[in-house]
Amino acid sequence: MTTYRTVSINGLDIFYREAGSRDHPTILLLHGFPTSSHMFRNLIPALADQFHLIAPDYPGFGYSSMPTVDDFDYTFDRLAEVMAGFVDAIGLKRYSLYLMDYGAPIGYRLAVQNPEQIETLIVQNGNAYEEGLGDFWKPMRAFWQNKTPENSDRVRQALASKGAKWYYITGARNLENISPDTWTLDQALLDRPGNIDIQLALKYDYQSNVRLYPQWQAYLRQYQPPTLIVWGKNDQGFLVEGAYAYKRDLKNLEFHLFDTGHFALEEDGDAIADHIQRFLTTHLVENTKLTSNNK
């Protein structure tokens, strides 16, 4: 069963979901925007019989601490620093990374800092290439180039007008497949006083991720982590071209596209769970058995 825990990291309470035996290979599940570890609520029990799964909420998201922008530096460097502390605090030594949306820039920072800890990558609408950023990002790029009150208000208004629901329904093939519980919970958390300022700070800092794309691509080329791509091809924020771009740098790549949007787990969670199970069994479980038999 899934347990719901909290650990203190540098004075912050970091909430996380955990399931499966620690004797099994570990998957660190890193969520995207505008959600939390809640996005993994169905995937975790689907894999927990064979794998150890950990899904934290970042500061400002889900049930973790939400200090104000005056009390905490909401940058991706800082979120990655907290997640590195989280990994140490719960004693993870080797693990696979599930990278989705914001989870990609956080996870790639962890991978670059400690490449020896990363066993495999599972990338679901997690971008590391310029090709993945389309017209959706034009207002954001203007904001990055000139942080005027007008550009800030434009991004703030876009966040408010789209709302959490937009990210779930855009590109989905059948809206009846999407539980309204998803965007209702996300929106309630986004609507907490001060949270819009947190999200605005992270949207501004997203430019730091784009600058690091070459470094992350170099990591992929050098270390060649076995990688599973499971991508909702109708995502308007992280275009399918960003999925194809991984093929340039990775030799050991399994590639699957799904006829859905940003939150591919909502419509294709069963298929994605099956792909993960087979992929990790091949690259981790069977390899572990071979290593044990050769001792």
Side-chain angles (χ1 to χ4, degrees):
M1 65 178 292
T2 302
T3 58
Y4 306 91
R5 298 174 173 171
T6 302
V7 63
S8 180
I9 308 295
N10 297 330
L12 299 171
D13 289 332
I14 300 300
F15 171 89
Y16 65 103
R17 301 164 196 255
E18 182 172 15
S21 169
R22 280 184 168 256
D23 293 332
H24 293 157
T26 295
I27 312 172
L28 179 62
L29 304 156
L30 298 179
H31 69 80
F33 173 86
T35 187
S36 64
S37 61
H38 180 257
M39 69 169 281
F40 299 115
R41 69 200 179 281
N42 297 321
L43 184 65
I44 290 172
L47 295 173
D49 60 332
Q50 295 184 63
F51 304 101
H52 173 227
L53 300 110
I54 299 280
D57 292 343
Y58 317 134
F61 292 83
Y63 301 117
S64 288
S65 293
M66 192 190 80
T68 68
V69 292
D70 293 327
D71 295 326
F72 183 84
D73 187 17
Y74 283 96
T75 65
F76 285 89
D77 280 348
R78 190 73 177 94
L79 294 186
E81 182 181 321
V82 173
M83 287 298 102
F86 172 80
V87 166
D88 289 343
I90 64 172
L92 298 187
K93 303 301 182 186
R94 296 270 290 166
Y95 55 92
S96 295
L97 275 171
Y98 189 113
L99 307 175
M100 191 271 177
D101 190 297
Y102 278 11
I106 293 170
Y108 280 125
R109 282 170 168 82
L110 298 181
V112 168
Q113 290 165 11
N114 294 289
E116 74 286 351
Q117 293 186 345
I118 309 305
E119 294 184 310
T120 73
L121 300 179
I122 302 160
V123 183
Q124 187 251 299
N125 299 71
N127 202 51
Y129 296 86
E130 284 275 3
E131 291 94 324
L133 303 178
D135 291 343
F136 174 88
W137 292 87
K138 284 183 177 178
M140 216 70 67
R141 290 183 186 276
F143 180 43
W144 298 341
Q145 292 167 6
N146 194 0
K147 194 178 180 182
T148 63
E150 293 77 16
N151 285 336
S152 298
D153 286 343
R154 198 167 291 122
V155 173
R156 190 188 300 269
Q157 289 166 12
L159 288 171
S161 64
K162 281 187 171 65
K165 184 177 180 178
W166 183 90
Y167 293 89
Y168 285 92
I169 66 173
T170 303
R173 62 181 176 274
N174 183 356
L175 298 187
E176 293 180 355
N177 293 333
I178 315 294
S179 169
D181 296 343
T182 54
W183 63 74
T184 301
L185 174 60
D186 289 354
Q187 194 62 55
L189 294 170
L190 290 173
D191 288 343
R192 290 176 292 176
N195 196 270
I196 189 67
D197 296 320
I198 291 170
Q199 304 307 332
L200 196 65
L202 287 171
K203 293 297 182 187
Y204 183 73
D205 188 62
Y206 199 90
Q207 61 186 298
S208 70
N209 302 328
V210 180
R211 291 194 294 268
L212 289 174
Y213 283 176
Q215 183 183 118
W216 302 343
Q217 294 159 20
Y219 158 79
L220 296 174
R221 286 192 298 272
Q222 178 179 352
Y223 290 95
Q224 291 295 320
T227 300
L228 172 67
I229 301 282
V230 281
W231 200 287
K233 66 179 182 179
N234 306 326
D235 192 338
Q236 292 186 14
F238 297 111
L239 303 179
V240 70
E241 288 81 1
Y244 282 108
Y246 280 93
K247 293 187 174 185
R248 287 204 303 266
D249 294 319
L250 288 167
K251 298 174 183 176
N252 193 355
L253 176 66
E254 185 178 326
F255 190 89
H256 302 279
L257 300 179
F258 296 90
D259 182 22
T260 190
H262 190 61
F263 284 106
L265 286 175
E266 296 303 318
E267 289 200 283
D268 293 293
D270 290 345
I272 290 172
D274 288 343
H275 286 307
I276 293 172
Q277 188 274 330
R278 286 193 296 269
F279 173 77
L280 292 184
T281 297
T282 298
H283 290 285
L284 298 181
V285 178
E286 291 181 0
N287 286 346
T288 299
K289 290 178 180 176
L290 287 172
T291 301
S292 298
N293 290 337
N294 289 331
K295 286 182 179 179

